[in-house]
Amino acid sequence: MDGLMMDFPLTLPTLLRRVETYFGEKEVVTRLPDRSFHRYTYSEMARRAKQLALALRELGLERGDRVATLCWNHYQHLEAYFGIPCGGFVLHTLNLRLHPNDIGYIAAHAGDRALIVDASLAPLVQQFLDQTEIEHVFVVEDSYEELLASADPAGWIAPDLEENEAAAMCYTSGTTGMPKGVVYSHRSTILHTLGVAAATPMGVGVSEQDTILPVVPMFHANAWGYPYVAAMLGANQVFPGPHLDPESLLEDFVQQGVTWTAGVPTIWLGILQLLDAQPGRWDLSRMKGMLVGGSAAPRAMIAGFKERHNLVVCHGWGMTETSPVASFPALPGELSNADDETKFDYMAMQGLPLALVELRARDDSGNEIPRDGETMGELEVRGPWVASAYYETPDSSDRWTDDGWFKTGDIVSFDPKGHIQIKDRSKDVIKSGGEWISSVELENALMAHPAVAEAAVIAIPDDKWQERPLAAVLLKDGASASAEELRDFLAPQFAKWWLPDRIEFVTEIPKTAVGKFRKTALREQFAPRPAVPTP
Ligand code: AMP
């Protein structure tokens, strides 16, 4: 017997209708490049998002066409978050931290037809545009305004979208090989929004009464879904624009009455340092919770915020492939009166899966690991907002198990209640300040230098960036090259922050039985502690 409920599609136009119908007066505040604040309401946001959708249609773009953004976090980006998918197009957020060649590759691979770009980033576009099929470029606060003005929002009729149509895509560099495209559907986006909104990490959650500031970029993993979560709940939202230094963020928190925020550990380590240096300067009594993820949040940082500033850090885990939020920390109810040290232990773990997400971990022999807090295995995940394939990358099926779970490349243990703790990473990539660096690409580039016989790149721990690359280099017999020379050789090929801070010349690079670099041995030699910190 079938249920007799409506087959109502889960699509973003429903969210847009909700926010303008019920929360039209609530505010979206943006810190502009000149540091002043721009404010408008969700009503205006919705009107402009519809204009964007209509104008893209009038340009001749068709259902399913990709429209890229290359933008910081701001109100125009929010308009793109709604306008592009609500118009039936696919929002493709490009990562502005990448080297122009990589951005070009990604935009070409995705088949982007149009691009919305910040004025400050427009020069970057000239470096990759000719690699792509992009026909239209709109500059924020310039030709983007003309585009919007060309459309009359009175003509808006939401297209009849199906829930499994693509809404957005985002490429990840957190894999070996070329960046890979994750394609979110309307359905997965709506369910992720509900899942994040329903969660109460460490007993705190968000509602219409909150003011949410996502520091995490809208160009990397959807700002953890907060632009949609805030709109669905009717919470005010604040965007920091390009001003991500601790002083500006603290000013935003205080001046805009921020109650909930989210970002990678590098951001919070900087903020903690400033709060410690000038205690009492900022009144953060309204802040209910600060979500930290993307890399492991150090336990000492979590404890420092609570003990010295009475601020609660919530430590989440997720991936571009999981929309991205998959787990939040949770304190078992019976421990609600436990001492702070016990609470910090739980806050430093990556917690429990959100409702509808399932996790398991298996050892090298394929057996599920016991929940003993010690045995380690590779974390696998499945759920309605987890990717089932990469966009047009047929040879990547080994990232999924035969029974349909996604293999994360994260090595974890489970405590007896199933709370995950990330211990290590099996994928050969480095995460610095929340963004990926490919060890393999650096190695290949180094080995193209005439003096280099072999090069292996590993992550070493860093107090500010969590991880930085270190290159172990074996020179050819009789050849010579300095670290500076090798860095200069790499410089034109990579973004500046990819260049290894340390280049160590070695007499041998240890290898496995099958001749691969044995990076664990190099890590033991050069890293005083693991780069992926165990809390
Ligand atoms: P991305 O796709 O760029 O969001 O990166 C996802 C990866 O970042 C995960 O597979 C982990 O390796 C890492 N990561 C994310 N959150 C955490 C966390 N809370 N602790 C440790 N590693 C994390």
Side-chain angles (χ1 to χ4, degrees):
M1 180 179 171
D2 290 334
L4 290 174
M5 307 309 282
M6 289 183 188
D7 188 10
F8 186 80
L10 307 180
T11 59
L12 283 165
T14 317
L15 271 199
L16 187 62
R17 267 196 303 278
R18 175 180 171 81
V19 71
E20 67 172 340
T21 307
Y22 300 106
F23 310 114
E25 299 305 310
K26 301 295 294 286
E27 264 195 327
V28 178
V29 181
T30 301
R31 172 88 84 158
L32 297 174
D34 71 1
R35 302 190 63 81
S36 66
F37 288 104
H38 170 276
R39 328 180 77 90
Y40 74 172
T41 62
Y42 277 123
S43 285
E44 286 164 90
M45 187 282 288
R47 176 176 55 78
R48 287 168 54 92
K50 291 177 202 168
Q51 283 177 295
L52 174 59
L54 288 165
L56 290 171
R57 210 176 291 163
E58 278 158 29
L59 276 182
L61 265 63
E62 289 173 13
R63 188 106 153 222
D65 277 347
R66 270 74 70 201
V67 179
T69 56
L70 189 64
C71 295
W72 294 101
N73 291 10
H74 47 52
Y75 67 96
Q76 297 96 335
H77 212 166
L78 183 66
E79 291 158 11
Y81 261 53
F82 276 99
I84 294 169
C86 288
F89 314 109
V90 181
L91 164 75
H92 178 198
T93 50
L94 292 169
N95 187 331
L96 57 86
R97 302 255 188 229
L98 298 181
H99 189 279
N101 286 346
D102 287 335
I103 305 180
Y105 166 82
I106 288 169
H109 189 269
D112 295 341
R113 287 194 64 193
L115 169 68
I116 298 169
V117 60
D118 281 1
S120 62
L121 299 167
L124 192 61
V125 176
Q126 295 316 317
Q127 296 178 51
F128 67 78
L129 195 61
D130 60 358
Q131 291 178 46
T132 73
E133 302 293 313
I134 294 173
E135 299 150 54
H136 312 278
V137 177
F138 302 103
V139 179
V140 168
E141 289 185 0
D142 190 351
S143 48
Y144 174 76
E145 286 303 319
E146 288 161 28
L147 176 72
L148 260 55
S150 70
D152 177 0
W156 171 251
I157 299 170
D160 218 357
L161 297 172
E162 288 177 26
E163 64 177 17
N164 284 316
E165 277 183 64
M169 63 195 303
C170 184
Y171 277 65
T172 174
S173 313
T175 60
T176 35
M178 297 310 280
K180 306 207 171 40
V182 179
V183 186
Y184 309 104
S185 63
H186 280 263
R187 173 187 154 85
S188 73
T189 307
I190 294 287
L191 290 172
H192 178 259
T193 307
L194 287 169
V196 174
T200 50
M202 300 310 288
V204 271
V206 281
S207 75
E208 183 267 341
Q209 296 177 14
D210 281 293
T211 296
I212 301 177
L213 185 152
V215 185
V216 47
M218 293 167 89
F219 59 76
H220 184 161
N222 313 311
W224 299 347
Y226 278 106
Y228 293 131
V229 171
M232 184 186 77
L233 295 172
N236 292 327
Q237 51 189 317
V238 181
F239 294 115
H243 306 290
L244 302 180
D245 59 290
E247 180 103 27
S248 302
L249 289 172
L250 283 165
E251 209 173 278
D252 293 347
F253 296 162
V254 175
Q255 288 186 10
Q256 307 307 328
V258 173
T259 58
W260 189 261
T261 173
V264 296
T266 300
I267 296 283
W268 305 112
L269 286 162
I271 286 183
L272 181 60
Q273 246 177 32
L274 195 55
L275 289 175
D276 284 346
Q278 302 179 46
R281 181 172 155 204
W282 294 273
D283 175 9
L284 297 177
S285 53
R286 296 189 60 185
M287 187 71 83
K288 286 185 348 196
M290 305 184 310
L291 195 68
V292 183
S295 294
R299 189 183 187 282
M301 181 189 91
I302 294 170
F305 270 116
K306 184 75 185 93
E307 286 170 341
R308 301 196 290 279
H309 308 286
N310 199 28
L311 289 167
V312 176
V313 168
C314 299
H315 182 197
W317 170 84
M319 307 178 69
T320 305
E321 291 89 336
T322 64
S323 292
V325 185
S327 82
F328 272 151
L331 186 71
E334 66 272 21
L335 294 178
S336 54
N337 294 321
D339 57 46
D340 276 354
E341 292 303 319
T342 310
K343 287 186 183 164
F344 297 151
D345 287 345
Y346 279 91
M347 289 160 97
M349 288 195 242
Q350 284 79 3
L352 296 179
L354 299 196
L356 305 182
V357 173
E358 295 187 338
L359 299 175
R360 73 178 184 193
R362 294 189 299 152
D363 62 21
D364 288 345
S365 326
N367 299 319
E368 283 200 38
I369 59 166
R371 292 176 169 192
D372 58 8
E374 281 177 19
T375 313
M376 290 194 265
E378 182 180 357
L379 184 65
E380 296 173 354
V381 57
R382 68 177 182 187
W385 56 84
V386 179
S388 62
Y390 291 119
Y391 180 64
E392 301 211 337
T393 313
D395 57 351
S396 59
S397 55
D398 60 340
R399 292 295 303 277
W400 284 266
T401 66
D402 290 342
D403 58 347
W405 294 67
F406 175 68
K407 296 198 257 182
T408 66
D410 288 324
I411 306 297
V412 300
S413 65
F414 291 127
D415 85 348
K417 287 184 186 290
H419 296 247
I420 52 172
Q421 189 167 15
I422 298 192
K423 302 269 194 182
D424 202 348
R425 190 187 291 145
S426 62
K427 43 199 175 193
D428 193 4
V429 275
I430 297 159
K431 204 168 205 192
S432 180
E435 298 292 338
W436 293 110
I437 294 173
S438 161
S439 354
V440 177
E441 273 188 58
L442 285 174
E443 287 162 6
N444 288 341
L446 278 167
M447 288 190 277
H449 188 281
V452 175
E454 288 178 350
V457 175
I458 57 165
I460 54 162
D462 185 90
D463 284 342
K464 181 168 182 194
W465 304 107
Q466 273 70 62
E467 295 173 30
R468 291 294 303 149
L470 175 147
V473 171
L474 174 69
L475 291 176
K476 286 182 185 158
D477 277 348
S480 71
S482 68
E484 228 22 72
E485 205 176 319
L486 294 181
R487 247 191 303 273
D488 288 348
F489 177 73
L490 295 176
Q493 307 172 56
F494 299 102
K496 202 160 159 237
W497 57 276
W498 273 45
L499 301 184
D501 302 316
R502 276 172 67 190
I503 296 186
E504 298 282 346
F505 293 96
V506 295
T507 51
E508 188 199 353
I509 296 186
K511 308 244 173 42
T512 64
V514 291
K516 284 189 185 174
F517 295 142
R518 203 149 53 77
K519 297 202 173 177
T520 42
L522 287 172
R523 270 157 53 173
E524 275 162 27
Q525 188 178 347
F526 292 112
R529 57 194 156 88
V532 181
T534 47

